[in-house]
Amino acid sequence: MKSFGWDLTYNCNYKCHYCQVYADKEDSSPTRPLSDWVKAWNKIYEKYSECEIFISGGEPSVYPDFFQLIKELSKIHRLNICTNLSWDPEKLFEFPWPDNILISATFHPFNANPKEFISKIKSLKNNLDRVNFLLYPEQSD
């Protein structure tokens, strides 16, 4: 199976001062319409059949049509989403393709409430690829 890494956006709702992705970027990543992305990933499907797409950024969930994009792409591809999990994971289960979706969640101690984050992790336990702790010297205590 072919695999692709995709930085959907460099925007992020956390805007961590130490983030190398966000530090040199304005909060204005180019946003392509949903239809453009679906068309492009359909072409990849036609060429290679099902692929794994590792979606990250910034924070991919800040893309305006994020959940619709995930719904459309998960019909033909396997998705692994690297995310700060600042959104409600139950939204993924509103459509019938959750087995094609894995989450790689990154805990940001400066921005996320640990209890809320753990609750979201528990709701994703069957679709969780990994949980990452974002290490930065100020957070290592």
Side-chain angles (χ1 to χ4, degrees), residues 112-131:
N113 176 299
K115 288 182 181 179
E116 288 177 23
F117 187 82
I118 290 169
S119 175
K120 292 175 181 183
I121 292 297
K122 287 180 179 178
S123 74
L124 290 166
K125 67 182 178 184
N126 295 326
N127 297 82
L128 198 61
D129 185 44
R130 62 184 161 261
V131 177

PDB file of all heavy atoms in Angstrom, residues 112-131:
ATOM      1  N   ALA A 112      -3.802  22.182  26.647  1.00  0.00           N
ATOM      2  CA  ALA A 112      -4.885  21.205  26.798  1.00  0.00           C
ATOM      3  C   ALA A 112      -5.104  20.842  28.260  1.00  0.00           C
ATOM      4  O   ALA A 112      -4.159  20.722  29.035  1.00  0.00           O
ATOM      5  CB  ALA A 112      -4.562  19.951  26.000  1.00  0.00           C
ATOM      6  N   ASN A 113      -6.350  20.648  28.611  1.00  0.00           N
ATOM      7  CA  ASN A 113      -6.712  20.160  29.928  1.00  0.00           C
ATOM      8  C   ASN A 113      -6.491  18.647  29.949  1.00  0.00           C
ATOM      9  O   ASN A 113      -7.081  17.933  29.126  1.00  0.00           O
ATOM     10  CB  ASN A 113      -8.181  20.501  30.203  1.00  0.00           C
ATOM     11  CG  ASN A 113      -8.668  19.947  31.503  1.00  0.00           C
ATOM     12  OD1 ASN A 113      -8.679  18.742  31.713  1.00  0.00           O
ATOM     13  ND2 ASN A 113      -9.099  20.847  32.368  1.00  0.00           N
ATOM     14  N   PRO A 114      -5.664  18.127  30.860  1.00  0.00           N
ATOM     15  CA  PRO A 114      -5.358  16.685  30.858  1.00  0.00           C
ATOM     16  C   PRO A 114      -6.589  15.788  30.977  1.00  0.00           C
ATOM     17  O   PRO A 114      -6.684  14.789  30.274  1.00  0.00           O
ATOM     18  CB  PRO A 114      -4.434  16.506  32.062  1.00  0.00           C
ATOM     19  CG  PRO A 114      -3.883  17.851  32.350  1.00  0.00           C
ATOM     20  CD  PRO A 114      -4.901  18.843  31.891  1.00  0.00           C
ATOM     21  N   LYS A 115      -7.545  16.153  31.809  1.00  0.00           N
ATOM     22  CA  LYS A 115      -8.745  15.319  31.979  1.00  0.00           C
ATOM     23  C   LYS A 115      -9.568  15.272  30.696  1.00  0.00           C
ATOM     24  O   LYS A 115     -10.057  14.221  30.300  1.00  0.00           O
ATOM     25  CB  LYS A 115      -9.589  15.812  33.149  1.00  0.00           C
ATOM     26  CG  LYS A 115      -8.960  15.525  34.489  1.00  0.00           C
ATOM     27  CD  LYS A 115      -9.833  15.989  35.624  1.00  0.00           C
ATOM     28  CE  LYS A 115      -9.137  15.683  36.947  1.00  0.00           C
ATOM     29  NZ  LYS A 115      -9.910  16.129  38.100  1.00  0.00           N
ATOM     30  N   GLU A 116      -9.720  16.418  30.058  1.00  0.00           N
ATOM     31  CA  GLU A 116     -10.470  16.454  28.793  1.00  0.00           C
ATOM     32  C   GLU A 116      -9.748  15.652  27.711  1.00  0.00           C
ATOM     33  O   GLU A 116     -10.373  14.927  26.946  1.00  0.00           O
ATOM     34  CB  GLU A 116     -10.668  17.893  28.328  1.00  0.00           C
ATOM     35  CG  GLU A 116     -11.653  18.676  29.146  1.00  0.00           C
ATOM     36  CD  GLU A 116     -11.771  20.128  28.684  1.00  0.00           C
ATOM     37  OE1 GLU A 116     -11.442  20.424  27.510  1.00  0.00           O
ATOM     38  OE2 GLU A 116     -12.183  20.964  29.505  1.00  0.00           O
ATOM     39  N   PHE A 117      -8.435  15.808  27.650  1.00  0.00           N
ATOM     40  CA  PHE A 117      -7.642  15.097  26.656  1.00  0.00           C
ATOM     41  C   PHE A 117      -7.770  13.586  26.859  1.00  0.00           C
ATOM     42  O   PHE A 117      -8.018  12.837  25.905  1.00  0.00           O
ATOM     43  CB  PHE A 117      -6.176  15.537  26.741  1.00  0.00           C
ATOM     44  CG  PHE A 117      -5.306  14.976  25.652  1.00  0.00           C
ATOM     45  CD1 PHE A 117      -5.278  15.563  24.402  1.00  0.00           C
ATOM     46  CD2 PHE A 117      -4.504  13.867  25.882  1.00  0.00           C
ATOM     47  CE1 PHE A 117      -4.470  15.052  23.389  1.00  0.00           C
ATOM     48  CE2 PHE A 117      -3.692  13.352  24.881  1.00  0.00           C
ATOM     49  CZ  PHE A 117      -3.682  13.950  23.638  1.00  0.00           C
ATOM     50  N   ILE A 118      -7.652  13.130  28.082  1.00  0.00           N
ATOM     51  CA  ILE A 118      -7.758  11.692  28.386  1.00  0.00           C
ATOM     52  C   ILE A 118      -9.153  11.182  28.057  1.00  0.00           C
ATOM     53  O   ILE A 118      -9.310  10.081  27.516  1.00  0.00           O
ATOM     54  CB  ILE A 118      -7.371  11.414  29.850  1.00  0.00           C
ATOM     55  CG1 ILE A 118      -5.860  11.624  30.016  1.00  0.00           C
ATOM     56  CG2 ILE A 118      -7.778  10.011  30.274  1.00  0.00           C
ATOM     57  CD1 ILE A 118      -5.374  11.651  31.450  1.00  0.00           C
ATOM     58  N   SER A 119     -10.166  11.970  28.341  1.00  0.00           N
ATOM     59  CA  SER A 119     -11.536  11.579  27.997  1.00  0.00           C
ATOM     60  C   SER A 119     -11.680  11.388  26.481  1.00  0.00           C
ATOM     61  O   SER A 119     -12.304  10.416  26.017  1.00  0.00           O
ATOM     62  CB  SER A 119     -12.511  12.642  28.495  1.00  0.00           C
ATOM     63  OG  SER A 119     -13.811  12.351  28.089  1.00  0.00           O
ATOM     64  N   LYS A 120     -11.094  12.284  25.708  1.00  0.00           N
ATOM     65  CA  LYS A 120     -11.145  12.163  24.246  1.00  0.00           C
ATOM     66  C   LYS A 120     -10.376  10.932  23.777  1.00  0.00           C
ATOM     67  O   LYS A 120     -10.825  10.213  22.880  1.00  0.00           O
ATOM     68  CB  LYS A 120     -10.596  13.430  23.587  1.00  0.00           C
ATOM     69  CG  LYS A 120     -11.480  14.638  23.794  1.00  0.00           C
ATOM     70  CD  LYS A 120     -10.853  15.891  23.235  1.00  0.00           C
ATOM     71  CE  LYS A 120     -11.732  17.097  23.463  1.00  0.00           C
ATOM     72  NZ  LYS A 120     -11.170  18.313  22.864  1.00  0.00           N
ATOM     73  N   ILE A 121      -9.237  10.673  24.398  1.00  0.00           N
ATOM     74  CA  ILE A 121      -8.444   9.485  24.063  1.00  0.00           C
ATOM     75  C   ILE A 121      -9.264   8.221  24.308  1.00  0.00           C
ATOM     76  O   ILE A 121      -9.280   7.307  23.487  1.00  0.00           O
ATOM     77  CB  ILE A 121      -7.133   9.453  24.887  1.00  0.00           C
ATOM     78  CG1 ILE A 121      -6.208  10.590  24.460  1.00  0.00           C
ATOM     79  CG2 ILE A 121      -6.450   8.110  24.819  1.00  0.00           C
ATOM     80  CD1 ILE A 121      -5.734  10.507  23.034  1.00  0.00           C
ATOM     81  N   LYS A 122      -9.942   8.170  25.417  1.00  0.00           N
ATOM     82  CA  LYS A 122     -10.768   6.995  25.739  1.00  0.00           C
ATOM     83  C   LYS A 122     -11.864   6.781  24.702  1.00  0.00           C
ATOM     84  O   LYS A 122     -12.168   5.654  24.339  1.00  0.00           O
ATOM     85  CB  LYS A 122     -11.366   7.130  27.133  1.00  0.00           C
ATOM     86  CG  LYS A 122     -10.348   6.926  28.230  1.00  0.00           C
ATOM     87  CD  LYS A 122     -10.985   7.078  29.601  1.00  0.00           C
ATOM     88  CE  LYS A 122      -9.961   6.859  30.698  1.00  0.00           C
ATOM     89  NZ  LYS A 122     -10.551   7.052  32.039  1.00  0.00           N
ATOM     90  N   SER A 123     -12.447   7.859  24.212  1.00  0.00           N
ATOM     91  CA  SER A 123     -13.503   7.707  23.211  1.00  0.00           C
ATOM     92  C   SER A 123     -12.951   7.196  21.880  1.00  0.00           C
ATOM     93  O   SER A 123     -13.689   6.651  21.069  1.00  0.00           O
ATOM     94  CB  SER A 123     -14.258   9.019  23.008  1.00  0.00           C
ATOM     95  OG  SER A 123     -13.493   9.940  22.288  1.00  0.00           O
ATOM     96  N   LEU A 124     -11.645   7.366  21.681  1.00  0.00           N
ATOM     97  CA  LEU A 124     -11.011   6.941  20.430  1.00  0.00           C
ATOM     98  C   LEU A 124     -10.241   5.632  20.562  1.00  0.00           C
ATOM     99  O   LEU A 124      -9.556   5.233  19.631  1.00  0.00           O
ATOM    100  CB  LEU A 124     -10.021   8.024  19.967  1.00  0.00           C
ATOM    101  CG  LEU A 124     -10.628   9.319  19.479  1.00  0.00           C
ATOM    102  CD1 LEU A 124      -9.558  10.389  19.391  1.00  0.00           C
ATOM    103  CD2 LEU A 124     -11.312   9.117  18.143  1.00  0.00           C
ATOM    104  N   LYS A 125     -10.346   4.949  21.673  1.00  0.00           N
ATOM    105  CA  LYS A 125      -9.465   3.821  21.955  1.00  0.00           C
ATOM    106  C   LYS A 125      -9.388   2.793  20.830  1.00  0.00           C
ATOM    107  O   LYS A 125      -8.337   2.214  20.604  1.00  0.00           O
ATOM    108  CB  LYS A 125      -9.837   3.150  23.272  1.00  0.00           C
ATOM    109  CG  LYS A 125     -11.181   2.471  23.255  1.00  0.00           C
ATOM    110  CD  LYS A 125     -11.506   1.875  24.599  1.00  0.00           C
ATOM    111  CE  LYS A 125     -12.892   1.257  24.528  1.00  0.00           C
ATOM    112  NZ  LYS A 125     -13.329   0.755  25.790  1.00  0.00           N
ATOM    113  N   ASN A 126     -10.436   2.582  20.096  1.00  0.00           N
ATOM    114  CA  ASN A 126     -10.397   1.605  19.003  1.00  0.00           C
ATOM    115  C   ASN A 126      -9.822   2.176  17.710  1.00  0.00           C
ATOM    116  O   ASN A 126      -9.588   1.443  16.763  1.00  0.00           O
ATOM    117  CB  ASN A 126     -11.790   1.035  18.745  1.00  0.00           C
ATOM    118  CG  ASN A 126     -12.301   0.238  19.917  1.00  0.00           C
ATOM    119  OD1 ASN A 126     -11.523  -0.414  20.619  1.00  0.00           O
ATOM    120  ND2 ASN A 126     -13.591   0.304  20.154  1.00  0.00           N
ATOM    121  N   ASN A 127      -9.639   3.464  17.673  1.00  0.00           N
ATOM    122  CA  ASN A 127      -9.138   4.121  16.463  1.00  0.00           C
ATOM    123  C   ASN A 127      -7.868   4.917  16.737  1.00  0.00           C
ATOM    124  O   ASN A 127      -7.516   5.800  15.981  1.00  0.00           O
ATOM    125  CB  ASN A 127     -10.205   5.060  15.886  1.00  0.00           C
ATOM    126  CG  ASN A 127     -11.424   4.312  15.447  1.00  0.00           C
ATOM    127  OD1 ASN A 127     -12.274   4.004  16.268  1.00  0.00           O
ATOM    128  ND2 ASN A 127     -11.508   3.981  14.186  1.00  0.00           N
ATOM    129  N   LEU A 128      -7.194   4.564  17.811  1.00  0.00           N
ATOM    130  CA  LEU A 128      -6.033   5.323  18.225  1.00  0.00           C
ATOM    131  C   LEU A 128      -4.762   4.649  17.744  1.00  0.00           C
ATOM    132  O   LEU A 128      -4.544   3.467  17.993  1.00  0.00           O
ATOM    133  CB  LEU A 128      -6.028   5.430  19.747  1.00  0.00           C
ATOM    134  CG  LEU A 128      -5.167   6.505  20.357  1.00  0.00           C
ATOM    135  CD1 LEU A 128      -5.610   7.883  19.905  1.00  0.00           C
ATOM    136  CD2 LEU A 128      -5.235   6.409  21.870  1.00  0.00           C
ATOM    137  N   ASP A 129      -3.953   5.384  17.024  1.00  0.00           N
ATOM    138  CA  ASP A 129      -2.663   4.862  16.574  1.00  0.00           C
ATOM    139  C   ASP A 129      -1.608   5.102  17.640  1.00  0.00           C
ATOM    140  O   ASP A 129      -0.852   4.213  17.996  1.00  0.00           O
ATOM    141  CB  ASP A 129      -2.248   5.535  15.264  1.00  0.00           C
ATOM    142  CG  ASP A 129      -0.980   4.949  14.688  1.00  0.00           C
ATOM    143  OD1 ASP A 129      -0.859   3.712  14.677  1.00  0.00           O
ATOM    144  OD2 ASP A 129      -0.116   5.728  14.253  1.00  0.00           O
ATOM    145  N   ARG A 130      -1.547   6.319  18.144  1.00  0.00           N
ATOM    146  CA  ARG A 130      -0.591   6.624  19.199  1.00  0.00           C
ATOM    147  C   ARG A 130      -0.991   7.918  19.889  1.00  0.00           C
ATOM    148  O   ARG A 130      -1.725   8.731  19.353  1.00  0.00           O
ATOM    149  CB  ARG A 130       0.824   6.728  18.654  1.00  0.00           C
ATOM    150  CG  ARG A 130       1.040   7.820  17.649  1.00  0.00           C
ATOM    151  CD  ARG A 130       2.465   7.798  17.086  1.00  0.00           C
ATOM    152  NE  ARG A 130       2.516   8.540  15.850  1.00  0.00           N
ATOM    153  CZ  ARG A 130       2.475   8.010  14.645  1.00  0.00           C
ATOM    154  NH1 ARG A 130       2.382   6.708  14.506  1.00  0.00           N
ATOM    155  NH2 ARG A 130       2.524   8.755  13.573  1.00  0.00           N
ATOM    156  N   VAL A 131      -0.459   8.067  21.107  1.00  0.00           N
ATOM    157  CA  VAL A 131      -0.603   9.314  21.852  1.00  0.00           C
ATOM    158  C   VAL A 131       0.794   9.840  22.065  1.00  0.00           C
ATOM    159  O   VAL A 131       1.683   9.117  22.510  1.00  0.00           O
ATOM    160  CB  VAL A 131      -1.306   9.093  23.208  1.00  0.00           C
ATOM    161  CG1 VAL A 131      -1.377  10.397  23.993  1.00  0.00           C
ATOM    162  CG2 VAL A 131      -2.693   8.511  23.006  1.00  0.00           C
TER     163      VAL A 131
END
